[in-house]
Amino acid sequence: NIIMDRAQSDPYAPIKSKMRIFMSTQFGSYPAPFLNMKIRRIALADFLVRRFWEEVHNIGLDEVKQSASYHSAKGGELTIEKPSQHVLERSSAIVFPSGEIELRFQLSLPARGRSILG
């Protein structure tokens, strides 16, 4: 499931739309040893954030689209907390003991002028 917690009201607003992906165990299951201890769930969540950030960065979805004028299309960049060298419990990813996963990120919705498209 993709859930939008907050939609940005203005493409020029500093706060982007806050979204999250919630995956139940039927879409992504991990072996029980990854889920039965909190430290392992934290490590798995950290790994998922690193992979998500890496894919978004490699594809270029985290780049700000430069617009030629006020009325040209803008938005579309997707961001997630950039992981550091430390394995930490983060708010950007949660692995629940049941195996469900929640991944949180921000998205600039596509816009033209001061209007959000769609």
Side-chain angles (χ1 to χ4, degrees):
N1 296 336
I2 298 177
I3 302 162
M4 182 176 288
D5 293 316
R6 182 189 182 285
Q8 69 193 74
S9 58
D10 184 340
Y12 292 101
I15 298 175
K16 300 175 186 177
S17 297
K18 294 184 178 187
M19 304 180 77
R20 57 191 155 122
I21 297 171
F22 185 81
M23 292 189 310
S24 65
T25 54
Q26 69 186 37
F27 293 109
S29 60
Y30 295 93
F34 287 113
L35 305 173
N36 61 9
M37 294 176 61
K38 183 177 180 180
I39 191 70
R40 291 180 181 174
R41 290 192 305 272
I42 291 170
L44 177 58
D46 186 83
F47 170 77
L48 294 172
V49 168
R50 289 174 192 281
R51 291 292 300 146
F52 189 84
W53 183 88
E54 187 178 291
E55 290 300 319
V56 165
H57 184 70
N58 288 342
I59 296 171
L61 294 176
D62 58 344
E63 297 174 3
V64 176
K65 309 292 185 272
Q66 297 297 326
S67 56
S69 71
Y70 172 78
H71 292 288
S72 61
K74 60 185 80 49
E77 63 267 11
L78 189 149
T79 57
I80 190 166
E81 176 186 19
K82 183 177 179 181
S84 66
Q85 64 184 7
H86 304 288
V87 176
L88 299 171
E89 186 171 13
R90 304 175 191 280
S91 61
S92 54
I94 300 170
V95 176
F96 297 97
S98 61
E100 296 164 326
I101 297 167
E102 185 174 294
L103 194 63
R104 301 171 182 172
F105 57 95
Q106 295 182 345
L107 175 69
S108 287
L109 296 174
R112 186 169 303 283
R114 295 196 74 93
S115 300
I116 301 293
L117 299 175

